[in-house]
């Protein structure tokens, strides 16, 4: 069985946390929220958790999206990782 064919350890639908790190600027947060809404149209931006770095140069965001499939999560990770303002996605 290939890794892509392995059964998922996540039950769908479920609330799924994704951590995203990037520069501490308004555009970063707005772009991340826009991407989250593409994959979870009901995403509640009020649930976004923000954690600035000690120096204040970077911002860590935690999104809690409603995951409906492995494909959705894979596509969301790819969209976030490919954005020029995003440094890290966990």
């Amino acid at each position: 069985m290939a890794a892509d064919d392995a059964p998922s350890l996540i039950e769908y639908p479920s609330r799924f946390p994704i951590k995203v790190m990037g520069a501490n600027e308004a555009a970063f947060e707005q772009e991340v929220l826009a991407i989250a809404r593409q994959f979870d149209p009901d995403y509640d931006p009020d649930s976004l958790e923000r954690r600035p770095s000690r120096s204040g140069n970077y911002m860590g965001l935690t999104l809690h999206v409603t995951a409906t499939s492995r494909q959705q999560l894979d596509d969301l990770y790819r969209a976030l990782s490919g954005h020029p303002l995003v440094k890290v996605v966990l």
Side-chain angles (χ1 to χ4, degrees), residues 33 37 40-48 64:
L33 288 173
R37 282 191 205 104
D40 179 4
D42 295 326
Y43 179 75
D44 177 10
D46 291 335
S47 70
L48 183 70
H64 290 90

Side-chain angles (χ1 to χ4, degrees), residues 3-65:
D4 289 341
D5 297 333
S8 178
L9 299 176
I10 302 169
E11 275 190 43
Y12 299 104
S14 68
R15 191 165 186 249
F16 192 84
I18 298 176
K19 294 184 185 238
V20 186
M21 290 171 254
N24 189 4
E25 56 184 75
F28 167 64
E29 184 174 320
Q30 293 308 310
E31 293 293 317
V32 168
L33 288 173
I35 292 170
R37 282 191 205 104
Q38 287 177 16
F39 294 91
D40 179 4
D42 295 326
Y43 179 75
D44 177 10
D46 291 335
S47 70
L48 183 70
E49 296 174 25
R50 298 164 187 84
R51 291 202 173 103
S53 66
R54 253 184 244 183
S55 65
N57 294 327
Y58 295 95
M59 178 64 72
L61 303 175
T62 302
L63 308 164
H64 290 90
V65 297

